[in-house]
Amino acid sequence: VKTLRQLGERGLIERLRRLLPRGRGVVAGIGDDCAVVRAGRGRLLLLKTDAVVEGVHFDKRATPHQIGWKAMARALSDIAAMAGRPRWALVTAGLREDTAARTIAGIYRGLAAAAGRFGARIVGGETVRAPGPFWLSVALAGEVEPRHLRLRSGARAGDAIFVTGTLGGSIQGKHLAFTPRIREAQWLVRHAPVRAMIDISDGLARDLGHLCRASRVGATLSAPAIPMSPPAGGCLQRALDDGEDFELLFTTPAAAAGKLLSAWRQAFPELRLTRIGAITRGGGILLGDELGHTRKLHESGYDHFQPSHA
Ligand SMILES: [Mg+2]
């Protein structure tokens, strides 16, 4: 009998995908950042659910406001990955009966602050008693114009690969206070021929792996180009593997790269955009150094059910 530890998160998702029949009107089901469904009159609805659990996604040092912010911002980041606009959220909270009312208020203020910043509203939900760790689950619906929708599966050999912001060491603090790249994603699909997009939740190596598998392509990353966050401490492996940066990873045709980089600097002078590699025909991801030597990249980012691999 296989356990989740042996199966891993990816193996589990693959099993569930085979188990669950795909309905009519489904544009993208299990296996992208959000589900995409037809909502009638040519409209597309984005559906996402995401949970945070005490001891897994935050610990006792996180403030109630930070916990609420993070729970909502994680789901918002997945709407960003599809270039969508977040609209309506339902929040389910599993709470211990000895939790201070003040703490609950702080959590919901954090949830509402993150939603409100990006034009979404919490319209309902549910509270239940949790005998163990405290948890929050956010269900978020968004909208996207069909011509702006981007999936993981659109990358083609020869595309340039880009990443927003800097990577690594998010656990030092960014994971509780990050800005989902909603505005940047909406700008991108209007100003650049973005072909495939994903947000970085499990680490650059692993999320690029997801994008490449969905697109049936490979990639070569340039190690010196990878933008490292100060808390990564100059450690390339952390920039490749650390999760929860919630930056955007996307591809465009290589010929569009130069124009995109200069337009980006005008539009978002505070946020880096870096070209970090190229999509290739072959499977797998290679990492190239300054001298042109390449090695195969192991997708060793975060897996919920195989913590030893993290
Ligand atoms: Mg995602």
Side-chain angles (χ1 to χ4, degrees):
V1 178
K2 270 198 175 172
T3 65
L4 283 183
R5 191 187 297 277
Q6 288 157 321
L7 214 51
E9 201 171 354
R10 216 171 85 207
L12 171 66
I13 292 169
E14 195 40 54
R15 287 213 169 184
L16 294 178
R17 195 218 303 258
R18 273 180 273 151
L19 205 74
L20 302 170
R22 179 165 162 153
R24 285 179 53 210
V26 178
V27 176
I30 295 166
D32 213 307
D33 292 289
C34 298
V36 187
V37 298
R38 285 186 225 286
R41 295 189 202 155
R43 294 171 57 200
L44 292 179
L45 202 57
L46 302 173
L47 300 172
K48 180 69 204 179
T49 179
D50 197 280
V52 294
V53 179
E54 183 182 40
V56 178
H57 298 93
F58 57 89
D59 60 25
K60 304 230 182 298
R61 286 169 296 177
T63 67
H65 195 279
Q66 285 176 325
I67 294 167
W69 177 279
K70 178 172 184 175
M72 183 63 67
R74 287 170 57 92
L76 289 166
S77 181
D78 281 313
I79 300 277
M82 322 294 281
R85 279 194 317 271
R87 296 299 305 276
W88 307 283
L90 301 172
V91 177
T92 305
L95 304 164
R96 285 186 296 269
E97 58 267 51
D98 61 354
T99 308
R102 198 180 58 224
T103 303
I104 313 287
I107 290 167
Y108 276 80
R109 277 194 203 100
L111 283 159
R117 168 97 84 93
F118 298 98
R121 287 285 178 267
I122 298 168
V123 294
E126 152 91 323
T127 53
V128 296
R129 187 174 70 84
F134 151 70
W135 54 268
L136 284 174
S137 174
V138 173
L140 181 61
E143 294 177 303
V144 64
E145 289 172 49
R147 69 199 165 97
H148 289 150
L149 174 68
R150 293 298 181 276
L151 304 176
R152 294 177 176 182
S153 54
R156 290 189 220 161
D159 279 6
I161 305 170
F162 294 89
V163 69
T164 63
T166 57
L167 303 175
S170 172
I171 194 71
Q172 303 294 325
K174 182 186 180 186
H175 77 109
L176 291 171
F178 65 93
T179 304
R181 303 303 185 194
I182 298 276
R183 293 196 182 107
E184 292 82 359
Q186 288 181 17
W187 181 92
L188 278 170
V189 295
R190 286 168 175 81
H191 292 88
V194 175
R195 278 186 169 148
M197 190 152 62
I198 187 171
D199 68 320
I200 300 183
S201 52
D202 301 341
L204 170 61
R206 204 171 167 104
D207 285 316
L208 180 57
H210 295 324
L211 186 146
C212 285
R213 268 186 300 279
S215 297
R216 298 170 193 275
V217 293
T220 302
L221 285 181
S222 162
I226 292 168
M228 283 189 249
S229 297
C235 172
L236 178 66
Q237 207 58 47
R238 298 202 61 182
L240 289 167
D241 292 343
D242 285 0
E244 302 210 305
D245 266 310
F246 298 105
E247 297 294 346
L248 294 172
L249 177 68
F250 63 92
T251 81
T252 73
K259 202 176 149 202
L260 165 59
L261 285 165
S262 54
W264 177 276
R265 276 192 291 273
Q266 298 284 316
F268 302 103
E270 316 271 277
L271 185 67
R272 270 169 85 163
L273 178 68
T274 314
R275 184 178 182 176
I276 56 170
I279 296 292
T280 57
R281 212 169 298 276
I285 301 171
L286 296 175
L287 185 68
D289 65 16
E290 296 91 332
L291 303 169
H293 300 135
T294 58
R295 67 174 169 93
K296 205 168 159 29
L297 189 67
H298 182 58
E299 287 176 45
S300 45
Y302 189 77
D303 187 307
H304 270 285
F305 304 115
Q306 298 174 324
S308 58
H309 289 214

